[in-house]
Amino acid sequence: MSKKDYIRPIDFRHGRVDMNHGAGGRASAQLIAELFARAFDNEYLRQGDDGALLPMPAGHRLVMATDGHVISPLFFPGGDIGCLAVHGTVNDVAMLGATPLYLSASFILEEGFPLADLKRIVESMAAASREAGVPVVTGDTKVVEQGKGDGVFISTTGVGAVPLARRIGGALARPGDAVLVSGTIGDHGVAVLSRRESLEFETTIESDTAALHTLVARLLAAVPEGSVRTLRDPTRGGLATTLNEIAKQSGVGMLLQEAAIPIKPQVEAACELLGLDPLYIANEGKCIVICDPAVAEGALEALRSHPLGRDAAHIGTVTDDAQRFVQMATAFGGRRVVDWLSGEPLPRIC
């Protein structure tokens, strides 16, 4: 190579994002080649076009989901915006009973953002993608002026395939169905808040961020087709808001058992200290399962047999209620309405 053809490698240790990285010229191409293409490398991305030509399995319908990630802080106990961007979209696809196949990723970078942090985020995202077996096959990068962003925002879109006969959705819950949750609630929101506010607890609280598609696959393989009515990951608004969404979609009510809802003691203590209700705190590695009561025990057994479902619990029942109320039987023997989230106690949580 002649001296005039030499291009200095990007300084990922000390460098920062500048406007040239989003201008579409040589700096953009170099950032894509030395960071994004290298981290996400796969046969589809190597096509090098503005989109990707992708195969789809026969006998399936297409599922597509998209999500934006604006979390603050970008790094938190148990994860970061990179792995979260993969997990969140993989989970949205999986909640329809589909197998996630491909991801796209769009980055909005702020001028001046440290390239070391960007590299850390992209490598975390690539590791999560490889672990999930769902490649990032196409993407885009834009840069905005300093002060007009907040470091980095990531949007991801996921494509998956679901068998033609499978129907799973928020409008399919029926009175009498069992309500299950795959594990402890509130872990993600409290982990993010603890880092954001520099709070220290005796026990480290880590985010539960994880890709749930293998857990869902094990569940669906263990029970008869059609016996799982609804799957949903309770992210923003937490368990309470998600159950209200399902109740509205299906035109039903729900009765929860407070004593059955799994919450880690340190999360419960943190919420009590901060005046928060863990029912409304975001989760990133848990799912709600609404199923035929006849298969509830088998569904629980399948969930608990997976590393991500060890703390799965049967927490309630779908009821016939024209008012579509979600109610809770409390530990003291009374009942209370578990209403929709009012306001946003923890903004920028995912």
Side-chain angles (χ1 to χ4, degrees):
M1 178 186 297
S2 66
K3 187 174 181 179
K4 69 174 184 177
D5 294 326
Y6 174 77
I7 299 175
R8 185 186 300 242
I10 294 175
D11 182 0
F12 285 110
R13 179 173 295 183
H14 303 106
R16 292 182 176 272
V17 172
D18 64 43
M19 295 303 296
N20 288 329
H21 288 127
R26 178 172 290 176
S28 298
Q30 188 178 9
L31 183 66
I32 291 168
E34 293 186 24
L35 181 58
F36 297 109
R38 188 172 297 172
F40 296 132
D41 183 51
N42 60 74
E43 62 180 302
Y44 306 112
L45 194 62
R46 266 180 250 130
Q47 293 171 6
D49 297 315
D50 286 340
L53 295 171
L54 306 169
M56 283 293 293
H60 289 69
R61 286 177 293 165
L62 187 68
V63 170
M64 186 174 179
T66 193
D67 207 353
H69 307 275
V70 298
I71 191 167
S72 176
L74 299 174
F75 305 96
F76 47 85
D80 54 62
I81 191 173
C83 66
L84 186 69
V86 171
H87 296 158
T89 301
V90 164
N91 292 347
D92 285 345
V93 172
M95 291 306 110
L96 288 170
T99 300
L101 298 174
Y102 314 108
L103 292 169
S104 73
S106 173
F107 293 79
I108 307 296
L109 308 176
E110 184 182 16
E111 181 185 17
F113 187 70
L115 286 171
D117 286 347
L118 179 61
K119 187 171 187 286
R120 180 180 169 190
I121 288 166
V122 171
E123 289 178 347
S124 172
M125 193 171 177
S129 169
R130 287 192 297 270
E131 185 176 353
V134 186
V136 176
V137 298
T138 189
D140 186 53
T141 306
K142 295 292 189 296
V143 178
V144 297
E145 295 88 345
Q146 194 160 24
K148 294 189 177 180
D150 191 11
V152 57
F153 299 148
I154 304 175
S155 294
T156 44
T157 296
V159 174
V162 65
L164 290 172
R166 180 169 295 163
R167 292 187 67 237
I168 294 174
L172 301 177
R174 306 173 188 173
D177 282 349
V179 181
L180 318 179
V181 67
S182 67
T184 55
I185 64 168
D187 300 355
H188 174 72
V190 172
V192 173
L193 183 65
S194 68
R195 178 55 55 87
R196 182 186 298 170
E197 304 299 335
S198 300
L199 302 175
E200 293 186 4
F201 303 105
E202 289 185 7
T203 305
T204 300
I205 300 171
E206 292 192 346
S207 170
D208 60 347
T209 181
L212 296 172
H213 57 308
T214 58
L215 174 70
V216 169
R218 183 169 299 186
L219 166 68
L220 295 178
V223 298
E225 189 71 52
S227 59
V228 172
R229 325 281 198 210
T230 301
L231 294 167
R232 191 69 61 84
D233 55 335
T235 52
R236 283 178 301 172
L239 180 72
T241 301
T242 305
L243 289 175
N244 274 282
E245 290 172 352
I246 296 169
K248 180 181 179 182
Q249 280 184 270
S250 293
V252 297
M254 296 187 193
L255 178 61
L256 309 179
Q257 301 297 322
E258 184 177 35
I261 298 174
I263 307 174
K264 289 178 180 173
Q266 60 267 39
V267 170
E268 193 165 26
C271 286
E272 186 174 346
L273 176 69
L274 297 168
L276 300 171
D277 187 338
L279 293 177
Y280 295 93
I281 303 299
N283 312 271
E284 288 291 345
K286 302 298 186 309
C287 68
I288 295 166
V289 180
I290 297 181
C291 63
D292 187 321
V295 305
E297 285 305 312
L300 266 183
E301 184 178 338
L303 291 171
R304 289 171 177 167
S305 72
H306 191 283
L308 296 176
R310 289 173 182 154
D311 297 316
H314 184 167
I315 63 170
T317 305
V318 178
T319 62
D320 187 359
D321 182 356
Q323 302 301 315
R324 306 176 184 181
F325 285 145
V326 176
Q327 300 183 67
M328 175 103 76
T330 70
F332 300 104
R335 286 195 185 187
R336 69 178 178 92
V337 173
V338 179
D339 207 350
W340 290 80
L341 175 67
S342 178
E344 191 175 10
L346 298 177
R348 299 284 300 277
I349 211 73
C350 58

